[in-house]
């Protein structure tokens, strides 16, 4: 039986009961992170915890102790016999009877659990299909908030279309996927939307840009259009769970010849090396 954490206690999953007055339950009033574990070791833990604290601060949940968060998920990893997986951690504003205004004196509530997870090797080799849709989300997408209804609906749109992901755009300018960041290669230059309030600055996104710099791949944090997406030489999506996944089709149209591109391959190799250098995968 897995061990999880809720509101100050480690318990077996079947022993955990979530308080219905937890504001995460009825308002989605909180933030979260997902951290990968490879061969029983964290990958980019510090970056995820920095973003969790920053997201909490953005929605005025203050006073989180970063080291306490790290201690919780470290203990969680040690209490579960899962060598390759992911840890989900969320922070809600607290427990209080339902009222839109912030509750006075409520303490943040932390929930964390761990699941087994394998690398998406087949998708990373063969690529995936994506569709596109209008981005109607709120204007604080840089906050990794629990408010994911629009993202959920757009992911379902992809599933119903037989695709892997929905990539969003505002007035024809591509922002990000429902659960991913998006990159293209155009005229040999790697491009992705700048890290502003319209996208989540993904941790894997940041790693990709580091790899591009290390490998001397020209890149730009510059927005691109739907037309540029569909005419790109290469397209790939990134996230903590999907790593670096090439895109073979956009709205049913092949990306180049539909196979993984050279720059995508180089980025994947660089990402693998970052994992191996930390002895996270044997």
């Amino acid at each position: 039986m897995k061990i999880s954490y809720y509101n100050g206690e480690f318990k077996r999953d079947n022993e955990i009961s979530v308080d219905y007055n937890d504001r995460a339950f009825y308002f989605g009033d909180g933030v979260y992170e997902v951290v990968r574990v490879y061969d029983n070791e964290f990958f980019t833990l510090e970056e995820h915890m920095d973003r969790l604290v920053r997201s909490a601060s953005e929605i005025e949940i203050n006073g989180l102790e970063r080291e306490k968060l790290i201690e919780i998920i470290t203990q969680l990893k040690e209490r579960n016999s899962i060598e390759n997986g992911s840890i989900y951690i969320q922070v809600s504003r607290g427990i209080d009877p339902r009222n839109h205004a912030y509750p006075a004196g409520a303490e943040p509530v932390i929930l964390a659990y761990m699941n087994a997870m394998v690398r998406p090797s087949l998708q990373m080799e063969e690529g995936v299909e994506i569709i596109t849709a209008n981005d109607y989300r709120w204007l604080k997408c840089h906050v990794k908030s629990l408010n994911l209804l629009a993202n959920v609906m757009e992911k379902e749109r992809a599933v119903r279309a037989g695709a892997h992901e929905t990539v969003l755009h505002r007035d024809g300018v591509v922002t990000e996927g429902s659960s991913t960041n998006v990159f293209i290669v155009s005229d040999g230059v790697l491009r992705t939307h700048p890290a502003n309030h319209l996208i989540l600055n993904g941790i894997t996104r940041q790693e990709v840009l580091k790899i591009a710099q290390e490998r001397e791949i020209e890149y730009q944090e510059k927005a691109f259009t739907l037309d540029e997406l569909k005419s790109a030489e290469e397209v790939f999506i990134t996230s903590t769970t999907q790593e670096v996944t090439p895109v073979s089709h956009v709205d049913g149209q092949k990306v180049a010849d539909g196979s993984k591109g050279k720059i995508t391959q180089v980025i994947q190799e660089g990402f693998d090396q970052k994992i191996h250098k930390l002895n996270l995968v044997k």
Side-chain angles (χ1 to χ4, degrees):
M1 177 67 70
K2 288 193 306 173
I3 302 297
S4 298
Y5 178 93
Y6 179 67
N7 201 18
E9 296 183 290
F10 289 96
K11 291 184 177 181
R12 296 187 178 201
D13 271 9
N14 63 354
E15 297 173 337
I16 288 182
S17 177
V18 176
D19 193 313
Y20 75 89
N21 277 320
D22 190 326
R23 288 174 66 90
F25 180 71
Y26 49 66
F27 285 134
D29 188 0
V31 294
Y32 76 103
E33 282 291 334
V34 178
V35 183
R36 279 294 263 123
V37 175
Y38 298 106
D39 198 24
N40 204 39
E41 296 291 342
F42 292 119
F43 184 65
T44 58
L45 172 63
E46 303 290 332
E47 292 87 344
H48 281 284
M49 292 301 97
D50 286 344
R51 189 173 63 181
L52 182 60
V53 172
R54 190 163 57 248
S55 289
S57 178
E58 284 276 349
I59 64 168
E60 301 180 309
I61 296 177
N62 299 310
L64 287 183
E65 297 179 18
R66 184 177 177 279
E67 294 309 312
K68 179 183 177 182
L69 297 172
I70 292 175
E71 179 184 349
I72 288 169
I73 64 173
T74 299
Q75 286 193 45
L76 190 65
K77 178 171 68 70
E78 292 171 352
R79 290 168 184 252
N80 288 280
S81 55
I82 299 174
E83 290 199 350
N84 290 284
S86 65
I87 290 182
Y88 175 90
I89 181 168
Q90 78 173 33
V91 180
S92 78
R93 194 175 304 278
I95 295 171
D96 203 69
R98 190 177 187 276
N99 180 21
H100 281 67
Y102 299 167
E107 293 293 325
V109 173
I110 299 170
L111 165 71
Y113 61 84
M114 188 172 189
N115 285 328
M117 179 176 291
V118 297
R119 299 183 70 183
S121 301
L122 184 62
Q123 293 175 357
M124 290 194 295
E125 185 58 35
E126 297 185 354
V128 298
E129 298 189 25
I130 64 173
I131 60 172
T132 61
N134 184 52
D135 190 347
Y136 50 82
R137 300 170 300 162
W138 73 329
L139 296 178
K140 288 193 174 184
C141 295
H142 61 294
V143 176
K144 199 167 177 68
S145 144
L146 300 180
N147 290 273
L148 293 173
L149 183 57
N151 303 65
V152 167
M153 293 178 71
E154 292 308 323
K155 182 67 77 173
E156 177 63 18
R157 184 197 296 264
V159 170
R160 291 180 182 180
H164 179 77
E165 173 67 303
T166 300
V167 166
L168 307 172
H169 64 91
R170 294 183 188 267
D171 297 321
V173 176
V174 174
T175 50
E176 59 184 346
S178 69
S179 64
T180 59
N181 291 118
V182 187
F183 289 78
I184 66 169
V185 176
S186 181
D187 295 327
V189 179
L190 182 65
R191 288 172 61 185
T192 192
H193 196 286
N196 58 20
H197 65 287
L198 297 179
I199 72 162
L200 180 72
N201 187 9
I203 304 302
T204 304
R205 174 191 181 278
Q206 296 172 44
E207 292 300 310
V208 166
L209 296 181
K210 292 176 188 175
I211 293 165
Q213 187 170 23
E214 292 163 1
R215 300 295 179 100
E216 298 184 340
I217 296 170
E218 184 178 354
Y219 70 89
Q220 298 174 347
E221 293 185 76
K222 179 181 177 182
F224 50 86
T225 66
L226 275 175
D227 288 342
E228 289 175 306
L229 173 70
K230 293 179 180 181
S231 64
E233 297 148 21
E234 302 179 38
V235 180
F236 62 86
I237 55 177
T238 63
S239 76
T240 293
T241 57
Q242 297 176 66
E243 300 187 13
V244 179
T245 295
V247 171
S248 61
H249 294 75
V250 179
D251 288 335
Q253 175 183 319
K254 274 187 181 181
V255 175
D257 64 1
S259 61
K260 178 167 57 176
K262 292 181 180 179
I263 290 179
T264 304
Q265 179 68 39
V266 171
I267 296 295
Q268 285 184 337
E269 291 170 356
F271 194 81
D272 282 342
Q273 286 184 12
K274 281 181 176 289
I275 296 172
H276 283 283
K277 280 181 181 178
L278 295 173
N279 295 316
L280 301 182
V281 171
K282 295 179 181 178

